[in-house]
């Protein structure tokens, strides 16, 4: 099926030829250069709109083409100009082409996107409800329901801004939602709550610094859409995993000037020594499957941007569960992603990325390839190879689980760490071997591939799933508010409510819940690898059992800053753990433990059973064993500090007891004149009990204890 004749365009031509580089709309101080890629289009029109984006003022054909790039230079355009594109070409879905000039399209390289999608059937290239489905053709103009691209002036006063470049070994990650973190913050001015500017206010930064956080990991802030099915249920795409603009900061968080507000936020974080890491979604776009809307990529060059089914170009390869997969095997798809990443580093000054469903990005034909194009380009890039790179190492396709599979230079979300810690502290048996591997950096996953413990991003909770409070308060998910009859969200949470589902007045249950939170947090901060804390967990944030709050842009998902004694104790406990980690390099080693004696007969690590002797092979295999200790030698750390001095630390013993009952744990004999000083005991109300232990420690049920060898007996 062919598209209708081209709509009338302005005459005479109002554009000079311009340049094919750079892509996007670029203000040079005198005019604007427009350049957009479409290899299969037969014509591209530039559409200019009034300041409110409601009226199309001009439609100008781009007559200059270099390779697959259409371009033109307008001496009349200025920053603030709203624009979009229309693409002419064949509408032949069976051949992978979906051109429809009736549909206004967003510039994939737009630096700012103004307005939101206002859903109607006109936003689809076909006629929804037609018996031919997407093989039909829709001639309605979609411009009235489309956001518009905005030309920007990229000038910004960065001053002396410098990236903190926190060493990976000293990094503490904190995952948060830009809006949800401050929506209810009483000390953030009301007009700034839920914005980039609100996140950059002193009360927020002071809280993060108090926790010892070194990097905030922001849920998606690249421009995204609220999916139609959510809007029709009066919900919103709260998490933002439906990207449509890879260069534009999401406008709903940015007020009148989201680009500069984002930059100002980054500058404020850097001034406080905090890094900014973006959660990015390059594996799919917000256009969905073959029955989705035509918003940008699909209408510009569907064949070039998406992975189409071999032998069935009407349908998409879908490794993501979101309807489509972006094609990074294609030259222009890979260029767009790498250009976008460089832009966020060089122009927006971010410090790294967490890649959603990263396995999809490294799929070649069609399997995951550790040496594939995307990973190879990143490794060679002089900009991108120097920032923090974190993979979510799985997707939904065949062979998609790739934990441990990414190359050196990458860290990975380690869900095996999450699941083992949850199961161990729940009291499941037969886990102490896995538990030991996870707290020492997961050498079984990363040790054979030239990587170290810092390849493992350790987490107990994340945005996707229960909060820490809900992990110890609910056995089942409670997602009714999502409008899917509680069918959505994982049923495998490895959670334990300790005797009551949800809130309870039982003091004993509430006390044990707080103790379990301390167990999880202490385990996280004392494990080798990168600790990641979910925003609000340090204050007991609850989603009332909802483990999939992706559509809940309301109090259910926002952080509750209501003060309280119990909350404050947990904040202080996290600050204490973070300080211990920061001051003691033994908890953030760059190399795995060796487990054998050095020339002086000293081991860097030793595993203890409650009787005080080393664990035997038989004891590791006992299903009922839920208690063990680990002795860490502070004189056996490889490497040097920032001043070039050999790393040295105290000796530590960490005791873990997931049994219900107390156990007298026999301690190793300390050096002459020294004793085992208590730094952490999660059985105490604050978790920071002080004192010096005797020959045996009364290790309470469901508790963790950290002991440090120091002078005094």
């Amino acid at each position: 099926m062919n598209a209708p004749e081209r709509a009338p365009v302005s005459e005479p031509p109002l554009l000079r030829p311009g340049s094919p580089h750079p892509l996007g709309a670029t203000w040079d101080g005198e005019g604007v250069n427009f350049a957009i890629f479409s290899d299969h289009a037969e014509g591209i029109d530039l559409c200019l709109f009034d300041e409110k984006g409601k009226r199309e003022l001009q439609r100008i054909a781009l007559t200059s083409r270099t390779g697959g790039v259409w371009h033109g230079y307008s001496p009349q355009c200025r920053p603030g100009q709203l624009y979009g594109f229309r693409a002419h070409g064949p509408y032949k879905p069976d051949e992978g082409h979906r051109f429809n000039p009736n549909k206004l399209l967003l510039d994939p390289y737009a630096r700012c996107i103004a307005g939101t999608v206002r859903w109607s059937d006109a936003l689809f290239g076909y006629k929804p409800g037609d018996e031919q489905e997407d093989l039909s053709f829709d001639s309605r103009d979609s411009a009235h329901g489309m956001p518009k691209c905005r030309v920007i002036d990229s000038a910004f006063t960065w001053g002396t801004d410098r990236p903190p470049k926190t060493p990976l070994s000293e990094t503490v990650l904190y995952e948060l939602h830009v809006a949800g973190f401050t929506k209810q913050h009483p000390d953030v001015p009301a007009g700034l709550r839920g914005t980039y500017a609100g996140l950059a206010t002193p009360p927020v930064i002071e809280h993060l610094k108090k926790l010892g956080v070194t990097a905030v990991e922001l849920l998606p802030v690249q421009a995204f859409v609220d999916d139609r099915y959510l809007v029709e249920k009066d919900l919103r795409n709260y998490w933002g995993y439906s990207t449509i603009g890879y260069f534009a900061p999401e406008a709903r968080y940015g007020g009148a000037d989201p680009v500069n507000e984002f930059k100002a936020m980054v500058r404020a974080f850097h001034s406080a020594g905090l890094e900014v890491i973006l959660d990015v979604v390059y594996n799919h776009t917000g256009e969905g499957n073959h029955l989705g809307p035509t918003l940008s990529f699909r209408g510009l060059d569907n064949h070039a941007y998406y992975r189409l089914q071999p032998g069935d170009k009407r349908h998409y390869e879908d490794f993501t569960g979101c309807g489509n997969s972006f094609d990074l095997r294609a030259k222009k798809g890979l260029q767009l992603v790498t250009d976008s990443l460089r832009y966020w580093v060089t122009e927006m000054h971010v410090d790294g990325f967490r890649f959603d469903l990263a396995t999809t990005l490294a799929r070649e034909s069609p399997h995951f390839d550790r040496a594939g194009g995307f990973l190879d380009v990143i490794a060679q890039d002089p900009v991108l190879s120097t920032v923090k790179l974190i993979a979510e190492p799985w997707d939904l396709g065949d062979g998609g689980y790739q934990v441990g599979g990414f190359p050196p230079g990458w860290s990975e979300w380690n869900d095996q760490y999450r699941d083992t810690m949850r199961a161990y502290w729940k009291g499941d048996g037969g886990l102490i071997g896995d538990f030991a591997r996870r707290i020492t950096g997961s050498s079984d996953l990363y040790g054979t591939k030239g990587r170290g413990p810092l390849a493992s991003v350790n987490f107990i909770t994340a945005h996707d799933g229960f909060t820490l409070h809900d992990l110890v308060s609910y056995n089942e998910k409670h997602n009714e508010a999502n409008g899917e009859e509680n069918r959505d969200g994982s049923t495998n949470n490895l959670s334990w409510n300790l005797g009551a589902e949800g809130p309870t007045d039982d003091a004993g249950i509430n006390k044990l819940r707080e103790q379990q939170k301390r167990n999880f947090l202490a385990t996280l901060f004392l494990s080798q690898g990168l600790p990641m804390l979910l925003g609000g967990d340090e204050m007991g944030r609850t989603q009332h059992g909802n483990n999939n709050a992706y559509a809940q842009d309301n109090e259910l998902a926002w952080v509750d800053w209501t003060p309280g004694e119990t909350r404050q104790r947990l904040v202080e406990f996290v600050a204490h753990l973070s300080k211990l980690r920061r001051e003691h390099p033994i908890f953030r080693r760059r190399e795995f433990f060796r487990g054998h004696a050095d020339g002086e007969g000293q081991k860097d690590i030793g595993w203890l059973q409650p009787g005080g002797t080393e664990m035997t092979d038989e004891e590791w295999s006992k299903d009922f064993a839920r208690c063990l200790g680990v002795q860490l030698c502070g004189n056996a750390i490889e490497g040097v500090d920032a001043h070039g001095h050999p790393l040295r630390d105290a000796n530590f013993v960490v005791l873990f007891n997931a049994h219900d009952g107390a156990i007298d744990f026999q301690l190793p004999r300390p050096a002459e004149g020294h004793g085992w000083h208590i730094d952490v005991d999660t059985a105490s109300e604050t978790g920071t009990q002080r004192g010096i232990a005797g020959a045996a420690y009364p290790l309470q049920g469901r508790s963790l204890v950290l002991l440090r060898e120091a002078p005094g007996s």
Side-chain angles (χ1 to χ4, degrees), residues 162 176 217 258 305 324 352 395 399 411 436 498 559 628 679 708:
R162 295 289 184 275
L176 63 82
E217 185 176 302
Y305 280 120
N324 65 60
D395 65 15
S411 298
L498 286 91
V559 173
L628 77 162
D679 278 331
R708 174 173 43 89

Side-chain angles (χ1 to χ4, degrees), residues 430-457:
L431 285 173
I432 59 172
D434 277 345
F435 181 79
R437 281 186 282 271
R438 300 300 153 241
I439 65 174
T440 53
S442 297
S443 60
D444 57 324
L445 299 176
Y446 307 111
T448 60
K449 298 182 174 67
R451 304 165 77 186
L454 300 176
S456 178
V457 175

Side-chain angles (χ1 to χ4, degrees), residues 2-59:
N2 292 318
E5 292 184 8
R6 177 180 300 185
V9 297
S10 299
E11 294 291 349
L14 301 177
L15 297 181
R16 300 173 186 168
S19 169
H21 307 291
L23 290 167
T26 306
W27 162 250
D28 65 4
E30 296 182 356
V32 178
N33 190 79
F34 295 92
I36 187 164
F37 166 78
S38 181
D39 205 25
H40 296 93
E42 297 169 355
I44 298 286
D45 295 338
L46 169 66
C47 303
L48 303 179
F49 290 83
D50 67 8
E51 62 183 13
K52 294 184 178 180
K54 293 183 177 180
R55 187 163 62 95
E56 186 173 343
L57 302 176
Q58 292 178 319
R59 190 180 303 187

Side-chain angles (χ1 to χ4, degrees), residues 297-312:
F297 308 96
R298 173 173 285 137
L300 283 168
D301 200 333
N302 183 68
H303 202 287
Y305 280 120
Y306 290 116
R307 296 180 67 127
L308 306 180
Q309 291 279 3
D312 178 16

Side-chain angles (χ1 to χ4, degrees), residues 146-184:
M146 282 291 294
K148 311 300 186 294
C149 307
R150 188 190 300 277
V151 177
I152 69 165
D153 182 346
S154 62
F156 181 78
T157 305
W158 283 105
T160 58
D161 181 71
R162 295 289 184 275
K165 292 192 177 297
T166 306
L168 207 56
S169 61
E170 298 174 15
T171 297
V172 176
L173 300 166
Y174 189 86
E175 189 193 37
L176 63 82
H177 188 283
V178 169
F181 199 67
T182 62
K183 278 280 192 178
Q184 301 185 101

Side-chain angles (χ1 to χ4, degrees), residues 683-704:
S684 70
E685 193 173 56
T686 63
T688 56
Q689 179 176 326
R690 299 295 186 182
I692 302 179
Y697 194 88
L699 182 61
Q700 300 304 301
R702 309 280 178 187
S703 75
L704 176 155

Side-chain angles (χ1 to χ4, degrees), residues 49 129 154 229 245 344 411 419 445 458-459 482 523 530 627 644 700:
F49 290 83
S154 62
Y229 78 95
W344 286 95
S411 298
D419 291 351
L445 299 176
N458 301 327
F459 64 105
N482 296 351
T523 305
L530 300 182
C627 180
Q700 300 304 301

